[in-house]
Amino acid sequence: MRTLLGVFVVAVCLAPVATAASVAPGATTQTAASTTDAAAAEVTITVNVVDADGNPIDGANVTVAYDDTTQSGETFANGKAFFDVPDGADVSVDVSADDLALNRPKTLSNVDAETTVNVTMYPSATAVLTLQTPNEQPVADARVRMRKDGDVLTSVSGRTAANGTFVAAGVEEGNYTVTVTAAGYYSTTESFVVSNRAGKTVTVEPGTVTVNFRTIDGHFANERSLNANVELYEGEEFVTNMSTGESGQRRVSLDVNTNYRVVVKKSGYQRESQVLSIRESDSSVTFAINRTPALSIEAANTQVVTGQTVRVSVTDEYDDPVADASVRVGGETVAATDENGEAPVTIESAGDVDVVATKGDLEATVTVEGVAASTETTATTKTATATTAPTTTTVTDAVTTTSDDGSDGLPTPGFGGVAALVAVALSLLALAHRRES
């Protein structure tokens, strides 16, 4: 009995082992496959952090960022830290440590293999810059750029305060060049050593340059000078106002390294506004402005018999024809202009008729008077023209003139005055001849 019980217990104990052994191969393969896929999708970055003497830094805080993901960790005693990132990622590596500084993070593009990033940290220092004029007045809002080994340091670039100072804390010790640029002053570049807390005073010189302003009509291919008004602003503060005159040009002295807002205006033209950056040399700048968009419409006739058509012409602000303009009468579209800006319009009613042309947001109207056609019948009278028959003159004892129309011998209607004179002359000649005989 005990033998059978022992066999049963052994069988029960071995059953789970046998079951596990039967599924283990599948689970192992799946895990291996998953591990292989993960390995294929990621690469390892080794961050190696040392000080200025090349000694590894233990316990430095390392932050690795890519896409929308951030990983953090600390370096081991050998100064190394390890991170797995997606294959092909663009990675930023930043490091911080007590009393040490890194001016800007390291960047890696398209990481597609195991990569080592070497980071050198330097003792942390503070740079204090003071900017002043030749008479030792502070220069506020000047742009400051610091470079170490030619690298522009975004983290230590900025502008001076109202007292003319700029403070860059937590920067690497070392040799720097600093460039300062202030509105109205020439840019100045100087070198200085930043160690612990270093101060530097920089003096800048004021200056101006000559700028030639030109204003033209931007519609024409060949430049046409335009007499326009030019306003200059520095920020929101008005600086000056000038006219370019008939030549379309005007020269003016402006402060160096200053940004001006330029507003160009002229009646009938669109206003132009641009930011103009003045540097440290004379220059010329051209502003092209265009007429304010407009439509005009004209009718070939101002009076039209109802039922007849009138041709209208649509032009723009430069008197150029406007094609595909919609032409409406009484709110109904009746035509569209052709490539010459023309369209025929039928006047259907008597009285004043408004013909409206539209193109985009533009509109123009011309009024044509419709004249009703007359319904009266006009009688046509034929006028007979009297024709005078030839007159025969007979010479007898007495001077007589005989006419076949029974007249009294006087010239008849239609008988010319010259012919009558001739007849009288002949009669007198006949009478004289008779007396001689």
Side-chain angles (χ1 to χ4, degrees):
M1 181 66 179
R2 289 181 177 178
T3 303
L4 292 175
L5 181 59
V7 172
F8 177 76
V9 171
V10 171
V12 171
C13 291
L14 291 176
V17 176
T19 303
S22 64
V23 298
T28 302
T29 303
Q30 183 177 1
T31 303
S34 299
T35 303
T36 301
D37 291 342
E42 294 183 336
V43 293
T44 300
I45 291 179
T46 301
V47 180
N48 182 39
V49 184
V50 298
D51 63 18
D53 297 323
N55 301 315
I57 300 175
D58 182 16
N61 296 311
V62 182
T63 301
V64 173
Y66 51 89
D67 299 331
D68 296 325
T69 303
T70 300
Q71 296 186 47
S72 298
E74 292 186 355
T75 56
F76 296 104
N78 61 358
K80 298 183 185 296
F82 303 92
F83 299 90
D84 291 331
V85 300
D87 185 7
D90 294 330
V91 180
S92 173
V93 179
D94 201 4
V95 182
S96 62
D98 293 341
D99 300 324
L100 297 173
L102 178 66
N103 281 339
R104 62 189 308 168
K106 301 290 184 178
T107 57
L108 303 172
S109 299
N110 191 26
V111 180
D112 57 1
E114 291 192 8
T115 304
T116 298
V117 181
N118 294 312
V119 177
T120 301
M121 303 192 73
Y122 296 85
S124 180
T126 299
V128 180
L129 181 72
T130 301
L131 191 63
Q132 65 180 22
T133 65
N135 58 358
E136 299 184 352
Q137 294 300 308
V139 178
D141 200 37
R143 184 183 179 188
V144 179
R145 291 178 297 173
M146 294 180 63
R147 288 182 172 90
K148 183 183 180 184
D149 299 327
D151 188 21
V152 178
L153 308 177
T154 304
S155 62
V156 290
S157 295
R159 293 187 176 273
T160 55
N163 61 358
T165 61
F166 173 77
V167 179
V171 298
E172 302 171 4
E173 283 189 350
N175 297 321
Y176 286 83
T177 58
V178 58
T179 300
V180 292
T181 305
Y185 297 88
Y186 289 107
S187 294
T188 301
T189 300
E190 295 191 14
S191 300
F192 71 111
V193 178
V194 177
S195 177
N196 194 12
R197 185 176 179 86
K200 178 72 174 180
T201 299
V202 178
T203 300
V204 290
E205 297 287 339
T208 62
V209 292
T210 300
V211 180
N212 182 45
F213 286 85
R214 298 179 63 241
T215 52
I216 63 173
D217 191 316
H219 175 75
F220 303 101
N222 55 326
E223 292 187 356
R224 298 189 183 182
S225 298
L226 206 61
N227 182 4
N229 188 67
V230 180
E231 297 175 351
L232 296 181
Y233 298 83
E234 187 175 350
E236 296 301 321
E237 182 179 353
F238 175 78
V239 176
T240 188
N241 178 64
M242 57 188 169
S243 172
T244 56
E246 293 302 324
S247 65
Q249 299 190 55
R250 181 70 178 272
R251 293 179 181 272
V252 63
S253 292
L254 297 176
D255 292 339
V256 297
N257 296 312
T258 303
N259 292 330
Y260 293 94
R261 182 166 61 91
V262 182
V263 179
V264 182
K265 298 187 295 185
K266 181 178 176 62
S267 178
Y269 281 74
Q270 293 177 296
R271 175 182 297 195
E272 178 72 13
S273 179
Q274 292 184 19
V275 174
L276 177 63
S277 296
I278 303 299
R279 293 300 173 242
E280 298 182 2
S281 59
D282 295 343
S283 60
S284 179
V285 59
T286 300
F287 292 90
I289 58 176
N290 295 314
R291 292 179 184 173
T292 304
L295 278 188
S296 297
I297 181 172
E298 293 184 356
N301 298 295
T302 57
Q303 291 183 326
V304 179
V305 175
T306 55
Q308 300 299 312
T309 61
V310 60
R311 182 162 290 275
V312 296
S313 301
V314 180
T315 55
D316 63 12
E317 63 276 10
Y318 285 95
D319 293 330
D320 292 333
V322 177
D324 297 323
S326 176
V327 181
R328 304 195 315 270
V329 174
E332 180 182 354
T333 300
V334 297
T337 56
D338 58 20
E339 61 182 5
N340 298 317
E342 299 181 344
V345 177
T346 302
I347 304 302
E348 301 288 357
S349 59
D352 288 344
V353 178
D354 287 339
V355 181
V356 182
T358 58
K359 180 77 171 184
D361 296 331
L362 302 177
E363 182 177 290
T365 302
V366 65
T367 300
V368 176
E369 181 184 356
V371 179
S374 175
T375 57
E376 296 180 359
T377 302
T378 301
T380 301
T381 303
K382 293 183 179 181
T383 302
T385 301
T387 302
T388 303
T391 302
T392 303
T393 302
T394 305
V395 180
T396 59
D397 292 339
V399 177
T400 60
T401 56
T402 305
S403 173
D404 61 359
D405 59 359
S407 65
D408 58 359
L410 296 174
T412 60
F415 195 89
V418 175
L421 291 174
V422 172
V424 171
L426 291 175
S427 298
L428 291 174
L429 288 173
L431 180 59
H433 179 72
R434 180 178 178 81
R435 285 178 177 177
E436 292 177 358
S437 59

PDB file of all heavy atoms in Angstrom, residues 2 19 68 150 154 193 263 284 362 410:
ATOM      1  N   ARG A   2       1.921   1.208   0.899  1.00  0.00           N
ATOM      2  CA  ARG A   2       2.820   2.357   0.946  1.00  0.00           C
ATOM      3  C   ARG A   2       3.551   2.531  -0.368  1.00  0.00           C
ATOM      4  O   ARG A   2       3.822   3.652  -0.806  1.00  0.00           O
ATOM      5  CB  ARG A   2       3.829   2.168   2.076  1.00  0.00           C
ATOM      6  CG  ARG A   2       3.183   2.308   3.455  1.00  0.00           C
ATOM      7  CD  ARG A   2       4.245   2.137   4.529  1.00  0.00           C
ATOM      8  NE  ARG A   2       3.653   2.343   5.853  1.00  0.00           N
ATOM      9  CZ  ARG A   2       4.346   2.225   7.004  1.00  0.00           C
ATOM     10  NH1 ARG A   2       5.660   1.933   6.929  1.00  0.00           N
ATOM     11  NH2 ARG A   2       3.757   2.420   8.170  1.00  0.00           N
ATOM     12  N   THR A  19       4.815  18.910 -17.783  1.00  0.00           N
ATOM     13  CA  THR A  19       4.004  19.887 -18.518  1.00  0.00           C
ATOM     14  C   THR A  19       4.812  21.113 -18.884  1.00  0.00           C
ATOM     15  O   THR A  19       4.780  21.602 -19.999  1.00  0.00           O
ATOM     16  CB  THR A  19       2.791  20.295 -17.663  1.00  0.00           C
ATOM     17  OG1 THR A  19       2.054  19.139 -17.333  1.00  0.00           O
ATOM     18  CG2 THR A  19       1.917  21.281 -18.411  1.00  0.00           C
ATOM     19  N   ASP A  68       9.855  62.703 -28.163  1.00  0.00           N
ATOM     20  CA  ASP A  68       9.173  63.259 -26.991  1.00  0.00           C
ATOM     21  C   ASP A  68       9.548  62.501 -25.722  1.00  0.00           C
ATOM     22  O   ASP A  68       8.815  62.526 -24.735  1.00  0.00           O
ATOM     23  CB  ASP A  68       7.649  63.200 -27.187  1.00  0.00           C
ATOM     24  CG  ASP A  68       7.197  64.070 -28.346  1.00  0.00           C
ATOM     25  OD1 ASP A  68       7.802  65.138 -28.542  1.00  0.00           O
ATOM     26  OD2 ASP A  68       6.247  63.679 -29.045  1.00  0.00           O
ATOM     27  N   GLY A 150      35.239  79.663 -30.567  1.00  0.00           N
ATOM     28  CA  GLY A 150      34.504  79.956 -31.793  1.00  0.00           C
ATOM     29  C   GLY A 150      33.068  79.496 -31.797  1.00  0.00           C
ATOM     30  O   GLY A 150      32.348  79.697 -32.778  1.00  0.00           O
ATOM     31  N   THR A 154      24.406  79.787 -27.063  1.00  0.00           N
ATOM     32  CA  THR A 154      23.040  80.284 -26.954  1.00  0.00           C
ATOM     33  C   THR A 154      22.673  80.563 -25.505  1.00  0.00           C
ATOM     34  O   THR A 154      22.000  81.542 -25.187  1.00  0.00           O
ATOM     35  CB  THR A 154      22.056  79.255 -27.547  1.00  0.00           C
ATOM     36  OG1 THR A 154      22.437  78.968 -28.887  1.00  0.00           O
ATOM     37  CG2 THR A 154      20.636  79.789 -27.527  1.00  0.00           C
ATOM     38  N   VAL A 193      39.191  86.506 -20.263  1.00  0.00           N
ATOM     39  CA  VAL A 193      39.264  85.200 -19.609  1.00  0.00           C
ATOM     40  C   VAL A 193      38.215  85.144 -18.514  1.00  0.00           C
ATOM     41  O   VAL A 193      38.134  86.039 -17.659  1.00  0.00           O
ATOM     42  CB  VAL A 193      40.661  84.962 -19.011  1.00  0.00           C
ATOM     43  CG1 VAL A 193      40.712  83.626 -18.282  1.00  0.00           C
ATOM     44  CG2 VAL A 193      41.718  85.013 -20.105  1.00  0.00           C
ATOM     45  N   VAL A 263       7.111 103.061 -43.220  1.00  0.00           N
ATOM     46  CA  VAL A 263       5.753 103.106 -43.772  1.00  0.00           C
ATOM     47  C   VAL A 263       5.769 104.052 -44.972  1.00  0.00           C
ATOM     48  O   VAL A 263       6.138 105.230 -44.835  1.00  0.00           O
ATOM     49  CB  VAL A 263       4.734 103.593 -42.726  1.00  0.00           C
ATOM     50  CG1 VAL A 263       3.334 103.654 -43.346  1.00  0.00           C
ATOM     51  CG2 VAL A 263       4.738 102.673 -41.509  1.00  0.00           C
ATOM     52  N   SER A 284      21.226 101.599 -50.104  1.00  0.00           N
ATOM     53  CA  SER A 284      20.076 102.118 -50.835  1.00  0.00           C
ATOM     54  C   SER A 284      18.957 101.087 -50.762  1.00  0.00           C
ATOM     55  O   SER A 284      19.206  99.878 -50.872  1.00  0.00           O
ATOM     56  CB  SER A 284      20.441 102.390 -52.302  1.00  0.00           C
ATOM     57  OG  SER A 284      19.320 102.862 -53.023  1.00  0.00           O
ATOM     58  N   LEU A 362     -14.341  93.843 -55.749  1.00  0.00           N
ATOM     59  CA  LEU A 362     -14.443  95.165 -56.362  1.00  0.00           C
ATOM     60  C   LEU A 362     -15.730  95.293 -57.159  1.00  0.00           C
ATOM     61  O   LEU A 362     -16.243  94.316 -57.714  1.00  0.00           O
ATOM     62  CB  LEU A 362     -13.239  95.420 -57.269  1.00  0.00           C
ATOM     63  CG  LEU A 362     -11.863  95.326 -56.590  1.00  0.00           C
ATOM     64  CD1 LEU A 362     -10.768  95.530 -57.615  1.00  0.00           C
ATOM     65  CD2 LEU A 362     -11.742  96.346 -55.468  1.00  0.00           C
ATOM     66  N   LEU A 410     -44.708 135.983-118.905  1.00  0.00           N
ATOM     67  CA  LEU A 410     -43.683 136.120-117.884  1.00  0.00           C
ATOM     68  C   LEU A 410     -43.006 134.780-117.637  1.00  0.00           C
ATOM     69  O   LEU A 410     -43.548 133.724-117.936  1.00  0.00           O
ATOM     70  CB  LEU A 410     -44.313 136.650-116.579  1.00  0.00           C
ATOM     71  CG  LEU A 410     -44.923 138.072-116.686  1.00  0.00           C
ATOM     72  CD1 LEU A 410     -45.623 138.407-115.379  1.00  0.00           C
ATOM     73  CD2 LEU A 410     -43.855 139.093-117.031  1.00  0.00           C
TER      74      LEU A 410
END
